[in-house]
Amino acid sequence: MSMRPISEAPRDGTEILVLTGEIEDPRWAHLSSRRFVARNMGRTRNIGLELGWALYPGQAIGDEWLAGWWPLPPLTDETAKARALCG
C-alpha cells in the first residue's frame, strides 16, 4: 500500500501509522524517518487551533514533520480486547 499525503489523513482521533520526514533541528533530528502510531488531537473549542499529532505522551507535532501516512490494519477481536484493557 502506498504512503498517503498527510493532508489526507483523518483528523478525528483515528490512530494511523505515520512516517516522519527529515527533521533538521538537532533537538529533534533523532525522530527523523521513523514510524509512529499517531492520532490527530483535534482543535481547541474556543478558537479552533489545531493541536497537532500525538506521537507519544508529551510529544505533539505539526503536519510539517510528517512525510505521509498509512491506515492501520483492522483490529482482531483479541487485539480489541487487549487494547480495551490498556485504555
Side-chain angles (χ1 to χ4, degrees):
M1 178 179 288
S2 298
M3 183 170 58
R4 299 177 184 182
I6 199 64
S7 61
E8 297 176 5
R11 295 175 189 269
D12 60 0
T14 300
E15 291 180 333
I16 59 174
L17 180 65
V18 297
L19 175 67
T20 56
E22 291 300 318
I23 302 167
E24 294 183 19
D25 185 325
R27 296 172 297 169
W28 308 109
H30 65 283
L31 297 176
S32 293
S33 301
R34 293 183 58 193
R35 289 176 175 85
F36 293 90
V37 172
R39 65 177 176 79
N40 188 274
M41 296 183 292
R43 296 183 173 274
T44 60
R45 290 184 184 162
N46 56 350
I47 60 172
L49 177 70
E50 176 146 348
L51 297 171
W53 297 91
L55 291 188
Y56 51 83
Q59 182 65 37
I61 61 168
D63 286 5
E64 67 277 2
W65 278 29
L66 299 174
W69 72 284
W70 298 269
L72 290 173
L75 294 176
T76 64
D77 288 342
E78 220 171 280
T79 306
K81 288 178 189 173
R83 183 176 280 184
L85 291 173
C86 295

